[in-house]
Amino acid sequence: MAGRLEGKRVVVTGAAQGIGLAIAEAFLGEGASLFLIDRDGDLLASEAERLRAAGGKVGYATADITDADAIEQTVAAAAREIGQPNALVNNAGVNVFFEPLKLSDADWQRCFDINLKGAWNCSKAVLPGMIAAGGGVILNIASTHAFTIIPHTFPYPVAKHALLGMTKALAREVSSRGVRVNAVAPGPVNTPLVMELSDDWRAAKKQQLPLGRFGEPEEVAATVSFLASPAAGLFVGQTLGPNSGDVML
C-alpha cells in the first residue's frame, strides 16, 4: 500500500513525539508531504530534521494551538512551504485528571483549550483552502475516555466526548463539499502521556484489556493513515478505535 497518500499535504499537531510522531512517520512512508506543529520547539526541530534527512518533505513550526491567530498564520506558512494543506491530523492533547470538586477553573479551561478548542482552531484554519479545492480530510485523535468513564479523570472524558461531537457535527456540515471528517479513539498506548501514569495503574489496566497489552504508536498511526487514504472514502463522521479491546462498539 506504499504511496497511497501521494499528493497529501498534511498538517499534524502534537507531532514531536508519541502518536503524533508515529503518524508523521507513517504518512511520509505513504508518500505525503508534512507540516508538523508542536509546542516543544527543540524536540520538534530535532525530529523534523531527522525526517528530512531520511528524504521526507517536512516543514515545521512551534505554535500554540489554543491561539487561533497564531494557528492561522502557521497554516499560511505551511501552505507556502508544502502547498495548501489538504489533510489535517488534530493530535495534540493533554491529560487533565482530577476528582471533580478538586478541579480548578484554570485546569478545566486548560483541558478544553487544548483538547477541544485547539482542534477547532486548526480545523477552522485549513477548511477554507480545502473547500476551495473541492476536498480534504480532517482527523481528530480522541480517546477511549470518550466511551468509558474512569473515576478521577474528570474533565478529560468531557472534552473527548465533545471532540467526537465536533467530529460528527463538522462532518455533517462539510462532507457535501468534499471534506471528510473522522476520528480515531485509541486505548492505552505506550506514549509519554501514558508513561506519566503510575506503574500500579498501568499494570491493572493491562489486566483489564482483552489483548492484555497496550498499543504502540505505530498501530494507531496505521489507523489514521487508512482514514486519510482513498480507501476510506465512505467514512464520514465515524470513529475507529485501536484500543486493545478496551471498548467494543
Side-chain angles (χ1 to χ4, degrees), residues 130-186:
M130 290 181 179
I131 291 171
V137 176
I138 295 175
L139 300 172
N140 296 321
I141 306 304
S143 168
T144 54
H145 283 267
F147 302 101
T148 301
I149 306 301
I150 299 172
H152 312 319
T153 64
F154 193 86
Y156 184 77
V158 185
K160 291 301 185 179
H161 272 80
L163 183 60
L164 294 189
M166 189 183 84
T167 299
K168 294 177 183 180
L170 189 58
R172 192 67 182 86
E173 296 287 344
V174 300
S175 59
S176 63
R177 287 177 277 182
V179 181
R180 291 190 300 108
V181 186
N182 291 291
V184 175

Side-chain angles (χ1 to χ4, degrees), residues 14 16 21 27 30-31 45 47 62 72 74 79 96 103 107 148 175 180 200:
L21 181 58
F27 276 40
E30 300 253 27
E47 293 294 349
T62 305
E72 187 172 347
T74 301
V96 181
L103 172 71
D107 282 317
T148 301
S175 59
R180 291 190 300 108
D200 289 345

Side-chain angles (χ1 to χ4, degrees), residues 60 92 96 98 111 122 128 154 180 193 211 214 231 248:
Y60 62 94
V96 181
F98 286 93
C111 183
C122 295
F154 193 86
R180 291 190 300 108
L193 281 178
L211 284 186
F214 290 176
M248 299 186 184

Side-chain angles (χ1 to χ4, degrees), residues 13-102:
T13 69
Q17 60 183 331
I19 291 173
L21 181 58
I23 290 169
E25 292 171 332
F27 276 40
L28 280 180
E30 300 253 27
S33 302
L34 298 181
F35 194 89
L36 309 181
I37 300 173
D38 203 282
R39 62 184 179 181
D40 187 333
D42 291 340
L43 184 58
L44 177 66
S46 175
E47 293 294 349
E49 293 297 342
R50 177 179 65 83
L51 295 176
R52 278 181 175 175
K57 185 173 183 181
V58 181
Y60 62 94
T62 305
D64 178 358
I65 63 170
T66 70
D67 184 334
D69 290 339
I71 287 301
E72 187 172 347
Q73 294 170 15
T74 301
V75 168
R80 291 191 296 270
E81 187 154 354
I82 67 170
Q84 187 67 43
N86 55 16
L88 165 68
V89 182
N90 282 313
N91 170 73
V94 62
N95 287 340
V96 181
F97 293 168
F98 286 93
E99 295 180 35
L101 295 182
K102 295 182 179 178

